[in-house]
């Protein structure tokens, strides 16, 4: 945790937002994109590791999360993947004007944003390590929410997240810290159901070794300030994303990718996902997919649950893919530092 304290923090004016970023190290950028209910802090184990191996680790609080402010949280239509990728592109233009491409690591919603970044601006991405959420090709026949409701019913968590204010009110009654504990420690690979009026059982939460009281307190301190609406807006914009991405129907992700998931992850156990990953569909849609890694006995929050293993997978991929590119970028970075 001493290494975490060495991470530097700053707020930048990005795309109309006051964006909080955390960074550490020098060299080619590795951009870390978090999910829900997480923050930049979810990458606390990865940032010092990649920084120690010659990279500049950058993690941000995405719009609507943590210390990034300025997004209209009462309007979920401002939380599409186009908006969020726009934030990322502008951030990269500010912090890395001399790096044409960066490495990207995503988890959960951060993985979905990373897929979108590769769609909209593949020229910005050197290579991608994505976790938990595989690429999902656009289905032109049915909207995402209708498909999820038909498959899982009205108590499915994404369906429960759709009505603005409703789940927030229930979470408020339970308490921010308890909600975070319940979500972060869930290891049931079955579809996550949040029954109306009583989304969680009343059993006490026992924190696993990888999640300390200090960790939960950090998350809780930020969500107590912001509430959950910013993060929930990503789910509420799913159908709007579907509408706006019609031009990309059938398009493929054309950057080198490694995909990592735990076998207890709810996304890995979702209907049709295992067949899609292992029977050719994933490789067809992501033709430069180089590796799929399944962690046994690991649930959804694998960067925190198995940080050493995740770190090794990230570094092996980045170094194996781009050793010559990394040397070039490092020399370019050093030269720009000398001449600036």
């Amino acid at each position: 945790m001493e290494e975490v304290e060495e991470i530097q923090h700053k707020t930048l004016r990005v795309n109309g937002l006051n964006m909080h970023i955390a960074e550490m190290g020098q060299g080619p950028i590795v951009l870390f994109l978090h999910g829900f209910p997480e923050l930049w802090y979810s990458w606390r184990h990865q940032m010092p590791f990649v920084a120690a191996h010659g990279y500049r680790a950058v993690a941000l609080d995405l719009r609507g999360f943590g210390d990034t402010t300025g997004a209209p949280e009462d309007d979920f239509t401002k939380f599409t993947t186009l908006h969020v990728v726009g934030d990322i592109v502008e951030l990269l233009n500010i912090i890395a004007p001399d790096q044409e491409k960066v490495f990207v690591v995503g988890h959960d919603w951060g993985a979905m944003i990373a897929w979108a970044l590769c769609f909209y601006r593949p020229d910005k991405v050197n290579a991608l390590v994505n976790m938990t959420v595989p690429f999902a090709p656009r289905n032109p026949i049915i909207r995402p929410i209708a498909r999820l409701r038909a498959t899982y019913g009205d108590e499915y968590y994404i369906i429960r997240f759709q009505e603005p204010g409703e789940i927030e009110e229930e979470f408020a009654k339970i308490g921010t810290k308890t909600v975070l504990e319940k979500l972060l420690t869930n290891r049931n690979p079955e579809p996550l159901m949040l029954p109306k009026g009583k989304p969680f059982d009343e059993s006490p939460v026992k924190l696993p070794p990888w999640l300390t009281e200090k960790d939960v307190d950090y998350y809780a301190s930020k969500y107590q300030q912001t509430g959950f609406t910013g993060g929930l807006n990503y789910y509420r914009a799913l159908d709007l994303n579907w509408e706006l991405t019609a031009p990309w129907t059938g398009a493929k992700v054309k950057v080198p990718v490694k995909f990592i998931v735990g076998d207890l992850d709810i996304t890995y156990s979702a209907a049709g996902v295992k067949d899609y990953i292992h029977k050719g569909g994933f490789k067809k849609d992501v033709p430069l997919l180089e590796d799929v890694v399944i962690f046994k006995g690991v649930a959804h929050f694998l960067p925190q649950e198995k940080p050493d293993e995740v770190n090794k997978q990230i570094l092996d991929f980045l170094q194996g893919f781009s050793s010559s590119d990394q040397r070039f970028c490092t020399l370019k970075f050093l030269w720009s530092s000398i001449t600036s």
Side-chain angles (χ1 to χ4, degrees), residues 274-295:
K274 291 180 183 177
D275 283 348
Y276 175 71
I277 290 175
H278 298 294
K279 294 186 176 182
F282 196 11
K283 179 67 174 178
K284 180 180 178 181
D285 293 328
V286 186
L288 299 182
L289 177 68
E290 297 192 8
D291 198 8
V292 172
V293 179
I294 311 299
F295 283 7

Side-chain angles (χ1 to χ4, degrees), residues 13-285:
R13 190 67 177 169
V14 177
N15 208 21
L17 307 175
N18 296 313
M19 179 174 286
H20 168 246
I21 70 167
E23 60 182 341
M24 187 177 192
Q26 295 184 339
I29 284 179
V30 181
L31 182 69
F32 291 95
L33 304 176
H34 69 82
F36 176 86
E38 299 177 277
L39 303 164
W40 77 269
Y41 186 78
S42 304
W43 302 110
R44 62 194 177 277
H45 303 297
Q46 284 69 47
M47 294 182 69
F49 181 82
V50 300
H53 285 84
Y55 295 90
R56 179 183 175 192
V58 178
L60 62 148
D61 286 338
L62 295 170
R63 74 162 51 202
F65 286 92
D67 292 326
T68 292
T69 62
E73 294 187 7
D74 59 346
D75 183 0
F76 70 84
T77 68
K78 298 299 190 291
F79 287 79
T80 69
T81 55
L82 286 165
H83 287 90
V84 184
V85 170
D87 299 340
I88 292 168
V89 169
E90 180 60 15
L91 173 65
L92 294 177
N93 289 338
I94 293 170
I95 66 172
D98 60 330
Q99 292 188 37
E100 294 180 0
K101 296 184 178 184
V102 301
F103 298 108
V104 180
V105 179
H107 172 258
D108 188 76
W109 259 106
M112 295 179 69
I113 298 302
W115 293 126
L117 174 63
C118 293
F119 247 2
Y120 307 148
R121 293 299 302 272
D123 59 304
K124 289 288 187 181
V125 183
N126 228 334
L128 168 65
V129 178
N130 246 1
M131 290 176 249
T132 72
V133 180
F135 177 73
R138 182 181 184 274
N139 184 338
I141 305 302
I142 186 171
R143 293 171 177 265
I145 298 305
R147 178 180 59 82
L148 291 170
R149 181 176 277 112
T151 303
Y152 299 112
D154 290 337
E155 291 187 350
Y156 187 57
Y157 75 105
I158 294 177
I159 304 303
R160 291 282 283 115
F161 287 171
Q162 291 305 303
E163 183 60 35
E166 184 175 280
I167 197 71
E168 289 97 324
E169 183 176 338
E170 294 184 23
F171 283 176
K173 292 178 181 178
I174 297 168
T176 299
K177 186 173 181 179
T178 299
V179 170
L180 289 167
E181 289 175 338
K182 291 287 188 179
L183 292 174
L184 292 169
T185 60
N186 178 46
R187 298 184 62 79
N188 184 353
E190 297 300 315
L192 178 59
M193 301 296 177
L194 302 178
K196 193 169 184 178
K198 192 177 180 181
F200 303 109
D201 63 42
E202 297 179 358
S203 61
V205 175
K206 181 179 179 180
L207 296 182
W210 56 267
L211 187 68
T212 68
E213 197 75 28
K214 182 178 179 180
D215 297 332
V216 177
D217 286 343
Y218 181 85
Y219 286 120
S221 69
K222 299 302 178 181
Y223 278 95
Q224 284 166 354
Q225 293 173 13
T226 65
F228 289 97
T229 299
L232 296 171
N233 281 338
Y234 287 68
Y235 297 91
R236 291 165 185 163
L238 279 169
D239 275 354
L240 183 54
N241 286 331
W242 180 86
E243 293 179 14
L244 295 174
T245 56
W248 287 273
T249 301
K252 301 181 185 302
V253 175
K254 295 182 178 179
V255 303
V257 174
K258 171 182 273 190
F259 180 73
I260 310 171
V261 68
D263 66 348
L264 298 180
D265 196 308
I266 59 172
T267 57
Y268 185 60
S269 301
V273 169
K274 291 180 183 177
D275 283 348
Y276 175 71
I277 290 175
H278 298 294
K279 294 186 176 182
F282 196 11
K283 179 67 174 178
K284 180 180 178 181
D285 293 328

